[in-house]
């Protein structure tokens, strides 16, 4: 994990309402976690961060 911004150096992370919450090794597991959160809490803003490309995308 990069200490300056809290984002992982590898794998994937869920950014929930602007805060890094959970890290995952694979994209599939990150998407499954995001789907579960969105199902339980539909108003949350969830972004999926990819450490390899250093980009986050909105999860709808």
């Amino acid at each position: 994990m990069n200490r300056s911004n809290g984002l992982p150096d590898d794998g994937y992370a869920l950014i929930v309402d602007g805060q890094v919450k959970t890290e995952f090794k694979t994209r599939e597991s990150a998407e499954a976690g995001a789907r579960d959160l969105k199902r339980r809490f539909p108003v949350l803003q969830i972004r999926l961060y990819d450490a390899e490309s250093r980009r986050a995308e909105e999860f709808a």
Side-chain angles (χ1 to χ4, degrees):
M1 177 181 290
N2 187 324
R3 294 198 187 275
S4 65
N5 60 15
L7 294 169
D9 294 323
D10 61 343
Y12 298 85
L14 293 184
I15 302 172
V16 180
D17 289 340
Q19 295 185 7
V20 178
K21 293 295 185 180
T22 310
E23 293 181 34
F24 297 90
K25 294 291 180 194
T26 66
R27 182 175 184 92
E28 292 79 20
S29 58
E31 288 177 348
R35 273 193 300 276
D36 182 52
L37 272 177
K38 208 52 159 163
R39 180 181 52 78
R40 291 187 295 144
F41 308 101
V43 297
L44 289 179
Q45 179 187 30
I46 300 173
R47 296 177 61 81
L48 183 62
Y49 175 77
D50 178 352
E52 185 177 332
S53 66
R54 294 189 213 156
R55 301 188 92 177
E57 61 186 59
E58 195 72 31
F59 188 84

CSV table of all heavy atoms in Angstrom, one decimal:
chain,number,residue,atom,x,y,z
A,1,MET,N,0.8,-1.2,0.0
A,1,MET,CA,0.0,0.0,0.0
A,1,MET,C,0.9,1.2,0.0
A,1,MET,O,1.9,1.3,0.7
A,1,MET,CB,-0.9,0.0,1.2
A,1,MET,CG,-1.8,1.3,1.3
A,1,MET,SD,-2.9,1.4,2.7
A,1,MET,CE,-4.0,0.1,2.3
A,2,ASN,N,0.5,2.2,-0.8
A,2,ASN,CA,1.2,3.4,-0.9
A,2,ASN,C,0.8,4.3,0.3
A,2,ASN,O,-0.4,4.6,0.4
A,2,ASN,CB,0.9,4.1,-2.2
A,2,ASN,CG,1.7,5.4,-2.4
A,2,ASN,OD1,2.0,6.1,-1.5
A,2,ASN,ND2,2.1,5.6,-3.7
A,3,ARG,N,1.7,4.6,1.2
A,3,ARG,CA,1.3,5.4,2.4
A,3,ARG,C,0.8,6.8,2.2
A,3,ARG,O,0.1,7.3,2.9
A,3,ARG,CB,2.5,5.4,3.4
A,3,ARG,CG,2.8,4.0,3.9
A,3,ARG,CD,3.6,4.0,5.1
A,3,ARG,NE,4.1,2.7,5.5
A,3,ARG,CZ,3.4,1.9,6.2
A,3,ARG,NH1,2.2,2.1,6.6
A,3,ARG,NH2,3.9,0.7,6.5
A,4,SER,N,1.3,7.4,1.1
A,4,SER,CA,0.9,8.8,0.8
A,4,SER,C,-0.6,8.9,0.4
A,4,SER,O,-1.2,10.0,0.8
A,4,SER,CB,1.8,9.4,-0.2
A,4,SER,OG,1.6,8.8,-1.5
A,5,ASN,N,-1.1,7.9,-0.3
A,5,ASN,CA,-2.5,8.1,-0.7
A,5,ASN,C,-3.4,6.9,-0.3
A,5,ASN,O,-4.6,7.0,-0.5
A,5,ASN,CB,-2.6,8.3,-2.2
A,5,ASN,CG,-2.0,7.2,-3.0
A,5,ASN,OD1,-1.8,6.1,-2.4
A,5,ASN,ND2,-1.8,7.4,-4.2
A,6,GLY,N,-2.9,5.9,0.4
A,6,GLY,CA,-3.7,4.8,0.9
A,6,GLY,C,-4.1,3.8,-0.2
A,6,GLY,O,-4.7,2.8,0.1
A,7,LEU,N,-3.6,4.0,-1.4
A,7,LEU,CA,-4.0,3.1,-2.5
A,7,LEU,C,-3.0,2.0,-2.6
A,7,LEU,O,-1.8,2.2,-2.3
A,7,LEU,CB,-4.0,3.8,-3.8
A,7,LEU,CG,-5.1,4.9,-3.9
A,7,LEU,CD1,-5.0,5.7,-5.2
A,7,LEU,CD2,-6.5,4.2,-4.0
A,8,PRO,N,-3.4,0.8,-3.0
A,8,PRO,CA,-2.5,-0.4,-3.1
A,8,PRO,C,-1.5,-0.2,-4.2
A,8,PRO,O,-1.8,0.5,-5.2
A,8,PRO,CB,-3.4,-1.6,-3.3
A,8,PRO,CG,-4.6,-1.0,-4.0
A,8,PRO,CD,-4.8,0.4,-3.4
A,9,ASP,N,-0.3,-0.9,-4.1
A,9,ASP,CA,0.7,-0.9,-5.1
A,9,ASP,C,0.4,-2.0,-6.2
A,9,ASP,O,1.0,-1.9,-7.3
A,9,ASP,CB,2.1,-1.1,-4.5
A,9,ASP,CG,2.5,0.1,-3.7
A,9,ASP,OD1,2.1,1.3,-4.0
A,9,ASP,OD2,3.1,-0.1,-2.6
A,10,ASP,N,-0.4,-3.0,-5.8
A,10,ASP,CA,-0.8,-4.0,-6.7
A,10,ASP,C,-2.2,-4.5,-6.4
A,10,ASP,O,-2.7,-4.2,-5.3
A,10,ASP,CB,0.2,-5.2,-6.7
A,10,ASP,CG,0.3,-5.9,-5.3
A,10,ASP,OD1,-0.2,-5.3,-4.4
A,10,ASP,OD2,0.8,-7.0,-5.3
A,11,GLY,N,-2.8,-5.1,-7.4
A,11,GLY,CA,-4.2,-5.6,-7.2
A,11,GLY,C,-5.2,-4.5,-7.4
A,11,GLY,O,-5.0,-3.6,-8.2
A,12,TYR,N,-6.3,-4.6,-6.7
A,12,TYR,CA,-7.5,-3.7,-6.8
A,12,TYR,C,-7.9,-3.2,-5.5
A,12,TYR,O,-7.7,-3.9,-4.5
A,12,TYR,CB,-8.6,-4.5,-7.6
A,12,TYR,CG,-8.2,-4.9,-8.9
A,12,TYR,CD1,-7.5,-6.1,-9.1
A,12,TYR,CD2,-8.4,-4.1,-10.0
A,12,TYR,CE1,-7.1,-6.5,-10.4
A,12,TYR,CE2,-8.0,-4.5,-11.3
A,12,TYR,CZ,-7.4,-5.7,-11.5
A,12,TYR,OH,-7.0,-6.1,-12.7
A,13,ALA,N,-8.7,-2.1,-5.5
A,13,ALA,CA,-9.2,-1.6,-4.2
A,13,ALA,C,-10.6,-1.0,-4.5
A,13,ALA,O,-10.9,-0.6,-5.6
A,13,ALA,CB,-8.3,-0.6,-3.6
A,14,LEU,N,-11.4,-1.1,-3.5
A,14,LEU,CA,-12.7,-0.4,-3.6
A,14,LEU,C,-12.6,1.0,-2.9
A,14,LEU,O,-12.1,1.0,-1.7
A,14,LEU,CB,-13.8,-1.2,-2.9
A,14,LEU,CG,-14.2,-2.5,-3.6
A,14,LEU,CD1,-15.4,-3.1,-2.8
A,14,LEU,CD2,-14.5,-2.3,-5.0
A,15,ILE,N,-13.0,2.0,-3.6
A,15,ILE,CA,-13.0,3.3,-3.0
A,15,ILE,C,-14.5,3.7,-2.8
A,15,ILE,O,-15.3,3.8,-3.7
A,15,ILE,CB,-12.4,4.4,-3.9
A,15,ILE,CG1,-10.9,4.0,-4.2
A,15,ILE,CG2,-12.4,5.8,-3.3
A,15,ILE,CD1,-10.2,4.8,-5.3
A,16,VAL,N,-14.9,3.8,-1.5
A,16,VAL,CA,-16.3,4.0,-1.1
A,16,VAL,C,-16.4,5.4,-0.6
A,16,VAL,O,-15.8,5.8,0.4
A,16,VAL,CB,-16.7,2.9,-0.1
A,16,VAL,CG1,-18.2,3.1,0.3
A,16,VAL,CG2,-16.5,1.5,-0.6
A,17,ASP,N,-17.3,6.2,-1.2
A,17,ASP,CA,-17.5,7.6,-0.9
A,17,ASP,C,-16.2,8.3,-0.6
A,17,ASP,O,-16.0,9.0,0.3
A,17,ASP,CB,-18.4,7.6,0.4
A,17,ASP,CG,-19.8,7.3,0.1
A,17,ASP,OD1,-20.2,7.3,-1.1
A,17,ASP,OD2,-20.6,6.9,1.0
A,18,GLY,N,-15.2,8.0,-1.5
A,18,GLY,CA,-14.0,8.8,-1.5
A,18,GLY,C,-12.9,8.2,-0.6
A,18,GLY,O,-11.8,8.8,-0.5
A,19,GLN,N,-13.1,7.1,0.1
A,19,GLN,CA,-12.1,6.5,1.0
A,19,GLN,C,-11.8,5.1,0.6
A,19,GLN,O,-12.7,4.3,0.3
A,19,GLN,CB,-12.7,6.5,2.4
A,19,GLN,CG,-12.9,7.9,2.9
A,19,GLN,CD,-13.3,7.9,4.4
A,19,GLN,OE1,-13.3,6.9,5.1
A,19,GLN,NE2,-13.6,9.1,4.9
A,20,VAL,N,-10.5,4.8,0.6
A,20,VAL,CA,-10.1,3.4,0.2
A,20,VAL,C,-10.6,2.5,1.4
A,20,VAL,O,-10.3,2.8,2.5
A,20,VAL,CB,-8.6,3.3,0.1
A,20,VAL,CG1,-8.2,1.9,-0.2
A,20,VAL,CG2,-8.1,4.2,-1.0
A,21,LYS,N,-11.3,1.4,1.0
A,21,LYS,CA,-11.9,0.6,2.1
A,21,LYS,C,-11.3,-0.8,2.0
A,21,LYS,O,-11.0,-1.4,3.1
A,21,LYS,CB,-13.4,0.5,1.9
A,21,LYS,CG,-14.1,1.8,2.2
A,21,LYS,CD,-13.9,2.2,3.7
A,21,LYS,CE,-14.7,3.4,4.0
A,21,LYS,NZ,-14.5,3.8,5.4
A,22,THR,N,-11.3,-1.5,0.9
A,22,THR,CA,-11.0,-2.9,0.8
A,22,THR,C,-10.0,-3.2,-0.4
A,22,THR,O,-10.3,-2.6,-1.4
A,22,THR,CB,-12.2,-3.8,0.7
A,22,THR,OG1,-13.2,-3.4,1.7
A,22,THR,CG2,-11.9,-5.2,0.8
A,23,GLU,N,-9.1,-4.0,-0.2
A,23,GLU,CA,-8.1,-4.4,-1.3
A,23,GLU,C,-8.4,-5.9,-1.7
A,23,GLU,O,-8.8,-6.7,-0.9
A,23,GLU,CB,-6.7,-4.3,-0.8
A,23,GLU,CG,-6.3,-2.9,-0.5
A,23,GLU,CD,-4.8,-2.8,0.0
A,23,GLU,OE1,-4.0,-3.6,-0.6
A,23,GLU,OE2,-4.5,-2.0,0.8
A,24,PHE,N,-8.2,-6.1,-3.0
A,24,PHE,CA,-8.4,-7.4,-3.6
A,24,PHE,C,-7.3,-7.8,-4.5
A,24,PHE,O,-6.7,-6.9,-5.1
A,24,PHE,CB,-9.7,-7.4,-4.4
A,24,PHE,CG,-11.0,-7.2,-3.6
A,24,PHE,CD1,-11.4,-5.9,-3.4
A,24,PHE,CD2,-11.7,-8.2,-3.0
A,24,PHE,CE1,-12.6,-5.6,-2.7
A,24,PHE,CE2,-12.8,-8.0,-2.3
A,24,PHE,CZ,-13.3,-6.7,-2.1
A,25,LYS,N,-7.0,-9.1,-4.6
A,25,LYS,CA,-6.0,-9.5,-5.5
A,25,LYS,C,-6.4,-9.6,-7.0
A,25,LYS,O,-5.6,-9.3,-7.9
A,25,LYS,CB,-5.5,-10.9,-5.1
A,25,LYS,CG,-4.8,-10.9,-3.8
A,25,LYS,CD,-3.5,-10.2,-3.8
A,25,LYS,CE,-2.8,-10.3,-2.5
A,25,LYS,NZ,-1.7,-9.3,-2.4
A,26,THR,N,-7.7,-9.9,-7.2
A,26,THR,CA,-8.2,-10.0,-8.6
A,26,THR,C,-9.3,-9.0,-8.9
A,26,THR,O,-10.0,-8.6,-8.0
A,26,THR,CB,-8.7,-11.4,-8.9
A,26,THR,OG1,-9.8,-11.6,-8.1
A,26,THR,CG2,-7.6,-12.5,-8.6
A,27,ARG,N,-9.5,-8.7,-10.2
A,27,ARG,CA,-10.6,-7.8,-10.6
A,27,ARG,C,-11.9,-8.4,-10.3
A,27,ARG,O,-12.9,-7.8,-9.9
A,27,ARG,CB,-10.4,-7.4,-12.0
A,27,ARG,CG,-11.5,-6.5,-12.5
A,27,ARG,CD,-11.3,-6.0,-13.9
A,27,ARG,NE,-12.3,-5.1,-14.3
A,27,ARG,CZ,-12.1,-3.7,-14.2
A,27,ARG,NH1,-11.0,-3.3,-13.7
A,27,ARG,NH2,-13.1,-2.9,-14.5
A,28,GLU,N,-12.0,-9.7,-10.5
A,28,GLU,CA,-13.3,-10.5,-10.3
A,28,GLU,C,-13.7,-10.4,-8.9
A,28,GLU,O,-14.9,-10.1,-8.6
A,28,GLU,CB,-13.1,-11.9,-10.8
A,28,GLU,CG,-13.0,-12.1,-12.2
A,28,GLU,CD,-11.5,-11.9,-12.7
A,28,GLU,OE1,-10.6,-11.9,-11.9
A,28,GLU,OE2,-11.4,-11.6,-13.9
A,29,SER,N,-12.8,-10.6,-7.9
A,29,SER,CA,-13.2,-10.5,-6.5
A,29,SER,C,-13.5,-9.0,-6.1
A,29,SER,O,-14.4,-8.8,-5.3
A,29,SER,CB,-12.1,-11.1,-5.6
A,29,SER,OG,-10.9,-10.4,-5.8
A,30,ALA,N,-12.9,-8.1,-6.7
A,30,ALA,CA,-13.2,-6.7,-6.4
A,30,ALA,C,-14.6,-6.3,-6.9
A,30,ALA,O,-15.3,-5.6,-6.2
A,30,ALA,CB,-12.1,-5.8,-7.0
A,31,GLU,N,-14.9,-6.8,-8.1
A,31,GLU,CA,-16.2,-6.5,-8.7
A,31,GLU,C,-17.3,-7.2,-7.9
A,31,GLU,O,-18.4,-6.6,-7.7
A,31,GLU,CB,-16.3,-7.0,-10.2
A,31,GLU,CG,-15.5,-6.1,-11.1
A,31,GLU,CD,-15.5,-6.5,-12.5
A,31,GLU,OE1,-15.9,-7.7,-12.8
A,31,GLU,OE2,-15.0,-5.7,-13.4
A,32,ALA,N,-17.0,-8.4,-7.4
A,32,ALA,CA,-18.0,-9.1,-6.6
A,32,ALA,C,-18.2,-8.4,-5.3
A,32,ALA,O,-19.4,-8.2,-4.8
A,32,ALA,CB,-17.5,-10.6,-6.3
A,33,GLY,N,-17.2,-7.9,-4.7
A,33,GLY,CA,-17.3,-7.1,-3.5
A,33,GLY,C,-18.1,-5.8,-3.7
A,33,GLY,O,-18.9,-5.4,-2.9
A,34,ALA,N,-17.8,-5.1,-4.8
A,34,ALA,CA,-18.5,-3.9,-5.2
A,34,ALA,C,-20.0,-4.2,-5.4
A,34,ALA,O,-20.9,-3.4,-5.0
A,34,ALA,CB,-17.9,-3.3,-6.4
A,35,ARG,N,-20.3,-5.3,-6.1
A,35,ARG,CA,-21.7,-5.7,-6.4
A,35,ARG,C,-22.5,-5.9,-5.1
A,35,ARG,O,-23.6,-5.5,-4.9
A,35,ARG,CB,-21.8,-6.9,-7.3
A,35,ARG,CG,-21.8,-6.6,-8.7
A,35,ARG,CD,-22.2,-7.8,-9.5
A,35,ARG,NE,-21.3,-9.0,-9.3
A,35,ARG,CZ,-20.1,-9.2,-9.9
A,35,ARG,NH1,-19.7,-8.3,-10.8
A,35,ARG,NH2,-19.4,-10.2,-9.7
A,36,ASP,N,-21.8,-6.6,-4.2
A,36,ASP,CA,-22.4,-6.9,-2.9
A,36,ASP,C,-22.7,-5.6,-2.1
A,36,ASP,O,-23.8,-5.4,-1.5
A,36,ASP,CB,-21.5,-7.8,-2.0
A,36,ASP,CG,-22.2,-8.2,-0.7
A,36,ASP,OD1,-23.3,-8.6,-0.7
A,36,ASP,OD2,-21.5,-8.0,0.3
A,37,LEU,N,-21.7,-4.7,-2.0
A,37,LEU,CA,-22.0,-3.4,-1.4
A,37,LEU,C,-23.1,-2.6,-2.0
A,37,LEU,O,-23.9,-2.1,-1.3
A,37,LEU,CB,-20.7,-2.6,-1.4
A,37,LEU,CG,-19.7,-2.8,-0.3
A,37,LEU,CD1,-18.5,-1.9,-0.5
A,37,LEU,CD2,-20.3,-2.5,1.1
A,38,LYS,N,-23.1,-2.6,-3.3
A,38,LYS,CA,-24.1,-1.8,-4.1
A,38,LYS,C,-25.5,-2.4,-3.8
A,38,LYS,O,-26.5,-1.6,-3.7
A,38,LYS,CB,-23.7,-1.8,-5.5
A,38,LYS,CG,-24.2,-0.6,-6.4
A,38,LYS,CD,-23.8,0.7,-5.8
A,38,LYS,CE,-23.8,1.7,-6.9
A,38,LYS,NZ,-23.8,3.1,-6.4
A,39,ARG,N,-25.6,-3.7,-3.7
A,39,ARG,CA,-26.9,-4.4,-3.5
A,39,ARG,C,-27.4,-4.0,-2.1
A,39,ARG,O,-28.5,-3.7,-1.9
A,39,ARG,CB,-26.7,-5.9,-3.6
A,39,ARG,CG,-28.0,-6.7,-3.4
A,39,ARG,CD,-27.8,-8.2,-3.5
A,39,ARG,NE,-26.7,-8.7,-2.7
A,39,ARG,CZ,-26.7,-8.9,-1.4
A,39,ARG,NH1,-27.8,-8.6,-0.7
A,39,ARG,NH2,-25.7,-9.4,-0.7
A,40,ARG,N,-26.5,-4.0,-1.1
A,40,ARG,CA,-26.9,-3.7,0.3
A,40,ARG,C,-27.1,-2.2,0.5
A,40,ARG,O,-27.9,-1.9,1.4
A,40,ARG,CB,-25.9,-4.3,1.2
A,40,ARG,CG,-25.9,-5.8,1.2
A,40,ARG,CD,-25.0,-6.5,2.3
A,40,ARG,NE,-23.6,-6.2,2.1
A,40,ARG,CZ,-22.7,-5.9,3.0
A,40,ARG,NH1,-23.1,-5.9,4.3
A,40,ARG,NH2,-21.5,-5.7,2.7
A,41,PHE,N,-26.3,-1.4,-0.1
A,41,PHE,CA,-26.3,0.0,0.1
A,41,PHE,C,-26.3,0.8,-1.2
A,41,PHE,O,-25.2,1.3,-1.6
A,41,PHE,CB,-25.1,0.5,1.0
A,41,PHE,CG,-24.9,-0.3,2.3
A,41,PHE,CD1,-24.0,-1.3,2.3
A,41,PHE,CD2,-25.7,-0.1,3.4
A,41,PHE,CE1,-23.8,-2.1,3.5
A,41,PHE,CE2,-25.6,-0.8,4.5
A,41,PHE,CZ,-24.6,-1.8,4.6
A,42,PRO,N,-27.4,0.8,-1.9
A,42,PRO,CA,-27.4,1.4,-3.3
A,42,PRO,C,-27.0,2.9,-3.4
A,42,PRO,O,-26.6,3.3,-4.5
A,42,PRO,CB,-28.9,1.2,-3.7
A,42,PRO,CG,-29.6,0.7,-2.6
A,42,PRO,CD,-28.7,0.4,-1.5
A,43,VAL,N,-27.0,3.6,-2.3
A,43,VAL,CA,-26.7,5.0,-2.4
A,43,VAL,C,-25.2,5.3,-2.3
A,43,VAL,O,-24.7,6.4,-2.6
A,43,VAL,CB,-27.4,5.9,-1.4
A,43,VAL,CG1,-28.9,5.8,-1.6
A,43,VAL,CG2,-27.0,5.5,0.0
A,44,LEU,N,-24.4,4.3,-2.0
A,44,LEU,CA,-22.9,4.5,-1.9
A,44,LEU,C,-22.3,4.8,-3.3
A,44,LEU,O,-22.8,4.2,-4.3
A,44,LEU,CB,-22.2,3.2,-1.4
A,44,LEU,CG,-22.5,2.9,0.1
A,44,LEU,CD1,-21.7,1.6,0.4
A,44,LEU,CD2,-22.0,4.0,1.0
A,45,GLN,N,-21.3,5.6,-3.3
A,45,GLN,CA,-20.6,5.9,-4.5
A,45,GLN,C,-19.3,5.0,-4.4
A,45,GLN,O,-18.5,5.1,-3.5
A,45,GLN,CB,-20.1,7.4,-4.6
A,45,GLN,CG,-19.3,7.7,-5.8
A,45,GLN,CD,-18.7,9.0,-5.8
A,45,GLN,OE1,-18.5,9.6,-4.7
A,45,GLN,NE2,-18.6,9.6,-7.0
A,46,ILE,N,-19.3,4.1,-5.4
A,46,ILE,CA,-18.2,3.1,-5.4
A,46,ILE,C,-17.3,3.2,-6.6
A,46,ILE,O,-17.9,3.2,-7.7
A,46,ILE,CB,-18.8,1.6,-5.2
A,46,ILE,CG1,-19.6,1.5,-3.9
A,46,ILE,CG2,-17.6,0.6,-5.3
A,46,ILE,CD1,-20.3,0.2,-3.8
A,47,ARG,N,-16.0,3.2,-6.4
A,47,ARG,CA,-15.1,3.3,-7.5
A,47,ARG,C,-14.2,2.1,-7.4
A,47,ARG,O,-13.8,1.7,-6.3
A,47,ARG,CB,-14.3,4.6,-7.5
A,47,ARG,CG,-15.2,5.8,-7.8
A,47,ARG,CD,-14.4,7.1,-7.7
A,47,ARG,NE,-13.4,7.2,-8.7
A,47,ARG,CZ,-13.6,7.6,-10.0
A,47,ARG,NH1,-14.8,7.8,-10.4
A,47,ARG,NH2,-12.5,7.7,-10.8
A,48,LEU,N,-13.8,1.5,-8.5
A,48,LEU,CA,-12.9,0.3,-8.5
A,48,LEU,C,-11.5,0.8,-9.0
A,48,LEU,O,-11.4,1.3,-10.1
A,48,LEU,CB,-13.5,-0.7,-9.5
A,48,LEU,CG,-12.7,-2.0,-9.6
A,48,LEU,CD1,-12.7,-2.7,-8.3
A,48,LEU,CD2,-13.4,-2.9,-10.7
A,49,TYR,N,-10.5,0.7,-8.1
A,49,TYR,CA,-9.2,1.2,-8.4
A,49,TYR,C,-8.3,0.0,-8.9
A,49,TYR,O,-8.2,-1.0,-8.3
A,49,TYR,CB,-8.5,1.8,-7.2
A,49,TYR,CG,-7.1,2.2,-7.4
A,49,TYR,CD1,-6.8,3.4,-8.1
A,49,TYR,CD2,-6.1,1.4,-6.9
A,49,TYR,CE1,-5.5,3.7,-8.3
A,49,TYR,CE2,-4.7,1.8,-7.1
A,49,TYR,CZ,-4.4,3.0,-7.8
A,49,TYR,OH,-3.1,3.3,-8.0
A,50,ASP,N,-7.6,0.2,-10.0
A,50,ASP,CA,-6.7,-0.8,-10.6
A,50,ASP,C,-5.3,-0.3,-10.4
A,50,ASP,O,-4.9,0.7,-11.0
A,50,ASP,CB,-7.0,-1.0,-12.1
A,50,ASP,CG,-6.1,-1.9,-12.8
A,50,ASP,OD1,-5.1,-2.4,-12.2
A,50,ASP,OD2,-6.3,-2.2,-14.0
A,51,ALA,N,-4.5,-0.9,-9.5
A,51,ALA,CA,-3.2,-0.5,-9.2
A,51,ALA,C,-2.2,-0.5,-10.4
A,51,ALA,O,-1.3,0.3,-10.5
A,51,ALA,CB,-2.6,-1.3,-8.1
A,52,GLU,N,-2.4,-1.5,-11.3
A,52,GLU,CA,-1.5,-1.6,-12.4
A,52,GLU,C,-1.6,-0.4,-13.4
A,52,GLU,O,-0.6,0.2,-13.8
A,52,GLU,CB,-1.8,-2.9,-13.2
A,52,GLU,CG,-0.8,-3.1,-14.3
A,52,GLU,CD,-1.1,-4.4,-15.1
A,52,GLU,OE1,-1.6,-5.4,-14.5
A,52,GLU,OE2,-0.7,-4.5,-16.3
A,53,SER,N,-2.8,0.0,-13.7
A,53,SER,CA,-3.0,1.2,-14.5
A,53,SER,C,-3.1,2.5,-13.8
A,53,SER,O,-3.1,3.5,-14.3
A,53,SER,CB,-4.3,1.0,-15.4
A,53,SER,OG,-5.4,1.0,-14.5
A,54,ARG,N,-3.2,2.4,-12.4
A,54,ARG,CA,-3.3,3.5,-11.5
A,54,ARG,C,-4.5,4.4,-11.9
A,54,ARG,O,-4.4,5.6,-11.9
A,54,ARG,CB,-2.0,4.4,-11.5
A,54,ARG,CG,-0.8,3.7,-11.0
A,54,ARG,CD,0.3,4.6,-10.8
A,54,ARG,NE,1.5,3.9,-11.1
A,54,ARG,CZ,2.6,4.4,-11.5
A,54,ARG,NH1,2.7,5.7,-11.7
A,54,ARG,NH2,3.7,3.7,-11.7
A,55,ARG,N,-5.6,3.7,-12.2
A,55,ARG,CA,-6.9,4.4,-12.5
A,55,ARG,C,-8.0,3.8,-11.7
A,55,ARG,O,-8.0,2.6,-11.4
A,55,ARG,CB,-7.2,4.2,-14.0
A,55,ARG,CG,-6.0,4.7,-14.9
A,55,ARG,CD,-6.4,4.7,-16.3
A,55,ARG,NE,-7.0,6.0,-16.5
A,55,ARG,CZ,-7.4,6.4,-17.7
A,55,ARG,NH1,-7.4,5.6,-18.7
A,55,ARG,NH2,-7.9,7.6,-17.8
A,56,ALA,N,-9.0,4.7,-11.4
A,56,ALA,CA,-10.2,4.3,-10.8
A,56,ALA,C,-11.4,4.6,-11.7
A,56,ALA,O,-11.4,5.6,-12.4
A,56,ALA,CB,-10.4,5.0,-9.5
A,57,GLU,N,-12.3,3.6,-11.7
A,57,GLU,CA,-13.5,3.8,-12.5
A,57,GLU,C,-14.7,3.6,-11.7
A,57,GLU,O,-14.7,2.9,-10.7
A,57,GLU,CB,-13.5,2.8,-13.7
A,57,GLU,CG,-13.5,1.4,-13.3
A,57,GLU,CD,-13.4,0.4,-14.4
A,57,GLU,OE1,-12.4,0.5,-15.1
A,57,GLU,OE2,-14.3,-0.4,-14.5
A,58,GLU,N,-15.8,4.4,-12.0
A,58,GLU,CA,-17.0,4.3,-11.3
A,58,GLU,C,-17.6,2.9,-11.5
A,58,GLU,O,-17.6,2.4,-12.6
A,58,GLU,CB,-18.0,5.4,-11.9
A,58,GLU,CG,-19.2,5.7,-11.0
A,58,GLU,CD,-18.8,6.4,-9.8
A,58,GLU,OE1,-17.9,7.2,-9.8
A,58,GLU,OE2,-19.5,6.3,-8.8
A,59,PHE,N,-18.1,2.4,-10.4
A,59,PHE,CA,-18.8,1.1,-10.4
A,59,PHE,C,-20.3,1.4,-10.3
A,59,PHE,O,-20.8,1.9,-9.3
A,59,PHE,CB,-18.4,0.2,-9.3
A,59,PHE,CG,-18.9,-1.2,-9.4
A,59,PHE,CD1,-18.3,-2.1,-10.2
A,59,PHE,CD2,-20.1,-1.6,-8.8
A,59,PHE,CE1,-18.8,-3.4,-10.4
A,59,PHE,CE2,-20.6,-2.8,-8.9
A,59,PHE,CZ,-19.9,-3.8,-9.7
A,60,ALA,N,-21.1,1.0,-11.3
A,60,ALA,CA,-22.5,1.3,-11.3
A,60,ALA,C,-23.3,0.1,-11.0
A,60,ALA,O,-23.0,-1.0,-11.3
A,60,ALA,CB,-22.9,1.9,-12.7
